[in-house]
Amino acid sequence: MGRLFIILGSFNMFMSVALGAFGAHVLRSLVTADRLATFNTGVHYHMIHALGLIAIGIFIGQIGVSKMLTWAGWLLQFGILCFSFSLYFLVMLNLPWLGAITPIGGVAFLIGWILLAVSAAKANKR
């Protein structure tokens, strides 16, 4: 399972770098500065949470698989899909209603980070 989260994290890092380059070199001439800032927010959170997935994978390798760590990883992945990709599509397709999906991803991020912290706290007691 740890390897899977490292692979997912690495793939998401690749995607965030590629999408960041797309925003900087292509999208900036096609959308307003506000919409580009929204796109860049998606890239920023995508990148941070991809690193989180890699960290979870490494942590699983150190302490072993647990339900809490597995949930933390899947919630970060789900958060990337809901948060970052809703912002990407909102900007590229000009569909403002997609903004309603973004907070769902944000909540998934928050829960995922809490589960990671609790997992780390419990690992010290083992």
Side-chain angles (χ1 to χ4, degrees):
M1 186 60 66
R3 219 169 46 193
L4 174 62
F5 286 126
I6 292 171
I7 291 166
L8 283 172
S10 298
F11 176 75
N12 276 294
M13 283 300 293
F14 171 86
M15 289 294 298
S16 67
V17 171
L19 287 163
F22 172 76
H25 299 290
V26 176
L27 201 57
R28 79 173 181 185
S29 63
L30 301 175
V31 300
T32 66
D34 285 346
R35 286 179 57 200
L36 184 60
T38 298
F39 188 88
N40 286 335
T41 297
V43 170
H44 180 79
Y45 278 79
H46 193 162
M47 199 171 279
I48 289 169
H49 291 87
L51 289 172
L53 284 169
I54 293 169
I56 289 169
I58 292 169
F59 196 44
I60 287 173
Q62 290 180 339
I63 69 162
V65 177
S66 74
K67 278 187 181 182
M68 207 173 300
L69 276 175
T70 301
W71 270 103
W74 288 120
L75 283 165
L76 292 189
Q77 180 61 56
F78 179 75
I80 289 169
L81 293 172
C82 288
F83 186 93
S84 294
F85 279 85
S86 69
L87 293 179
Y88 300 148
F89 289 125
L90 180 150
V91 170
M92 291 189 291
L93 302 176
N94 197 22
L95 298 173
W97 61 267
L98 283 171
I101 296 170
T102 308
I104 296 168
V107 171
F109 287 153
L110 293 169
I111 296 169
W113 287 113
I114 291 294
L115 292 178
L116 177 57
V118 171
S119 295
K122 285 185 173 188
N124 290 335
K125 295 179 181 178
R126 290 181 193 162

